[in-house]
């Protein structure tokens, strides 16, 4: 153990064992899956991320060793730990340069967003030097002022290769492409059964898979467009689930991204129209429904039904608001009677 600590120190990593683990140290061959909780802090103690609280839930990190995870230092330190061990690792700048990007992706995942959202089409080091905002003030500050970080890690599980089902993110590009149609079909089956939350997750996983592949292509190239055409139907299904869950603004955002690229996408206009109607954006809803009719006049009865429902909701809302403020500015109220006090 002392020899390992010396090696780490030479590499710019200081290890402090908080609680020893159990059993023997694993050999950690490539393909091993490690599951651990982590807390990332600045050297002054300020916490940046904590897997136990991120996204309002306790979800440990999972890594497949040998898959070239962007933050290589995590792979380096966990292979010095026994299962159940808790340790702190203070790591020099050279190990932490890519942490802002990794943190952004992990935060996106915890919020149910695309893990690559907000990242430019370039390598990690190039993004670090591009001064592109990551959407989080603390990460932007860290990106502009790289510094040592302290990773507090609790190693929960060590699973040898072949003892678990490979997660999507750990697959090769070819494996991901082969899996996406299966994910899509599983999502459709769950949707038909009324399991909307589970279907949403399936569609999201399929989209994330393809987005990951798309990031490796140049926007507009044939391969990029091909992947985008695979993403679009998954994204539309994802939006349908979000409509049913009342996430209207998210539907508007995603459908807008689709129609920006594909001006004749009927489903995107229809779903966006329904989302606009649900949040009282009457002008926008009517414009989208008009576009739907332009693209497919046979949908006139369905559009008329949607417009009628929207108009009824608007009338009901206006009636409720009138009732709520009725009498608020009633100037015909009788003034209070003055009281006369006798001085005799």
């Amino acid at each position: 153990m002392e020899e390992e600590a010396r090696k780490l120190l030479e590499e710019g990593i200081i290890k402090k064992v908080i609680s020893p683990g159990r059993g023997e140290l694993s050999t950690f061959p490539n393909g091993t899956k490690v599951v651990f909780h982590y807390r990332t802090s600045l050297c002054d103690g300020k916490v940046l991320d904590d897997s136990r609280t991120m996204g309002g839930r306790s979800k440990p990190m999972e890594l497949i060793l040998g898959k070239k995870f962007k933050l290589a230092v995590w792979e380096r330190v966990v292979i010095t730990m026994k299962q159940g061990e808790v340790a702190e690792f203070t790591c020099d700048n050279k190990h932490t340069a890519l942490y802002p990007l990794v943190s952004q992706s992990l935060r996106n995942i915890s919020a149910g967003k695309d893990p690559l959202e907000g990242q430019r089409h370039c390598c990690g080091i190039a993004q670090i030097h591009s001064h592109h905002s990551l959407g989080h003030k603390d990460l932007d500050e860290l990106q502009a002022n790289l510094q040592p970080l302290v990773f507090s890690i609790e190693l929960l599980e060590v699973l040898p290769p072949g003892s678990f089902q490979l997660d999507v993110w750990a697959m090769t590009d070819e494996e991901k492409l082969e899996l996406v149609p299966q994910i899509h079909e599983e999502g459709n089956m769950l949707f038909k059964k009324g399991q909307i939350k589970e279907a949403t997750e399936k569609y999201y996983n399929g989209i994330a898979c393809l987005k990951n592949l798309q990031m490796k292509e140049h926007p507009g190239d044939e391969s990029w467009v091909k992947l985008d055409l695979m993403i679009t139907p998954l994204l539309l299904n994802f939006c349908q689930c979000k409509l049913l869950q009342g996430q209207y603004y998210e539907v508007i955002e995603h459908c807008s991204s689709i129609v920006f690229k594909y001006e004749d996408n009927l489903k995107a206009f229809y779903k966006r129209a329904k989302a606009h109607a649900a949040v009282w954006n009457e002008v926008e809803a009517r414009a989208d429904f008009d576009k739907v009719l332009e693209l497919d006049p046979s949908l006139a009865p369905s559009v008329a039904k949607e417009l009628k429902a929207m108009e009824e909701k608007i009338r009901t809302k206006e009636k409720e608001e009138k009732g709520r403020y009725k009498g608020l500015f009633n100037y015909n109220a009788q003034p209070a009677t003055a009281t006369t006090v006798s001085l005799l």
Side-chain angles (χ1 to χ4, degrees):
M1 294 298 289
E2 291 182 2
E3 176 65 18
E4 189 62 61
R6 185 186 63 78
K7 288 181 181 179
L8 287 174
L9 190 58
E10 290 175 353
E11 296 172 29
I13 302 170
I14 301 173
K15 178 179 179 178
K16 178 183 178 182
V17 177
I18 307 300
S19 177
R22 55 188 179 273
E24 297 295 322
L25 185 68
S26 170
T27 56
F28 295 102
N30 281 347
T32 298
K33 181 176 182 177
V34 290
V35 183
F36 59 92
H37 272 302
Y38 68 91
R39 184 178 69 247
T40 305
S41 310
L42 301 179
C43 289
D44 63 7
K46 179 183 177 182
V47 176
L48 296 175
D49 295 305
D50 189 331
S51 61
R52 290 181 175 83
T53 58
M54 187 178 287
R57 56 179 178 168
S58 180
K59 183 174 176 57
M61 181 70 186
E62 299 181 0
L63 280 183
I64 307 296
L65 301 183
K67 290 288 185 179
K68 297 183 179 179
F69 182 62
K70 189 174 285 187
L71 194 67
V73 72
W74 274 3
E75 291 197 31
R76 177 66 184 95
V77 299
V78 294
I79 64 173
T80 71
M81 301 177 70
K82 294 180 180 180
Q83 188 164 312
E85 182 178 331
V86 181
E88 285 185 355
F89 299 88
T90 303
C91 304
D92 285 353
N93 296 19
K94 63 182 178 181
H95 298 296
T96 63
L98 291 177
Y99 186 76
L101 290 175
V102 171
S103 176
Q104 181 197 37
S105 293
L106 294 174
R107 293 181 188 187
N108 282 346
I109 291 170
S110 70
K113 299 179 180 178
D114 178 358
L116 299 176
E117 182 177 307
Q119 295 188 15
R120 290 183 169 181
H121 181 80
C122 54
C123 71
I125 293 296
Q127 291 198 55
I128 286 295
H129 295 293
S130 70
H131 305 294
H132 173 59
S133 175
L134 297 173
H136 300 275
K137 185 179 179 181
D138 57 346
L139 298 183
D140 287 341
E141 290 175 353
L142 182 60
Q143 182 172 249
N145 181 31
L146 296 178
Q147 54 193 285
L149 294 175
V150 180
F151 299 115
S152 300
I153 294 177
E154 179 183 3
L155 185 57
L156 303 174
E157 286 186 280
V158 179
L159 303 171
S163 67
F164 56 91
Q165 184 176 355
L166 203 61
D167 291 321
V168 170
W169 57 265
M171 293 180 176
T172 64
D173 291 354
E174 293 74 19
E175 289 170 334
K176 288 176 184 176
L177 273 177
E178 290 175 4
L179 186 65
V180 167
Q182 180 184 327
I183 294 176
H184 197 159
E185 183 57 32
E186 288 173 355
N188 291 346
M189 293 297 292
L190 289 166
F191 185 87
K192 290 175 182 176
K193 292 178 182 178
Q195 296 174 249
I196 306 305
K197 183 179 179 181
E198 293 79 3
T200 305
E201 188 172 345
K202 286 290 183 182
Y203 295 136
Y204 169 80
N205 288 339
I207 293 165
C209 247
L210 294 171
K211 285 274 191 180
N212 182 275
L213 297 175
Q214 196 180 43
M215 281 289 290
K216 301 173 183 179
E217 306 294 338
H218 192 278
D221 283 358
E222 184 179 348
S223 297
W224 188 95
V225 172
K226 183 178 179 180
L227 289 166
D228 206 57
L229 291 172
M230 293 176 68
I231 291 169
T232 299
L234 278 165
L235 186 54
L236 287 168
N237 288 359
F238 180 81
C239 286
Q240 182 60 36
C241 291
K242 289 295 183 178
L243 265 179
L244 295 174
Q245 294 171 321
Q247 302 295 319
Y248 303 119
Y249 289 105
E250 191 169 349
V251 174
I252 292 170
E253 179 183 352
H254 289 309
C255 287
S256 294
S257 73
I258 293 173
V259 300
F260 179 77
K261 294 177 289 186
Y262 308 107
E263 297 178 356
D264 60 347
N265 193 295
L266 176 66
K267 291 182 178 180
F269 278 111
Y270 201 105
K271 295 180 196 302
R272 191 173 72 171
K274 293 180 70 172
H276 275 309
V279 293
W280 316 105
N281 294 341
E282 183 181 4
V283 174
E284 292 85 351
R286 289 186 182 279
D288 279 349
F289 279 129
D290 285 344
K291 185 65 177 180
V292 169
L293 292 178
E294 177 187 323
L295 293 170
D296 188 352
S298 71
L299 289 174
S302 297
V303 169
K305 184 178 179 180
E306 294 289 348
L307 287 171
K308 183 179 179 181
M310 179 181 71
E311 290 162 357
E312 288 176 354
K313 282 178 62 179
I314 291 172
R315 283 195 295 269
T316 300
K317 183 185 178 185
E318 290 174 346
K319 187 176 180 181
E320 288 175 352
E321 289 178 347
K322 285 181 181 178
R324 190 178 301 124
Y325 298 111
K326 185 178 181 181
L328 189 62
F329 302 106
N330 187 352
Y331 295 104
N332 295 322
Q334 294 297 319
T337 304
T339 304
T340 303
V341 179
S342 175
L343 298 178
L344 297 177

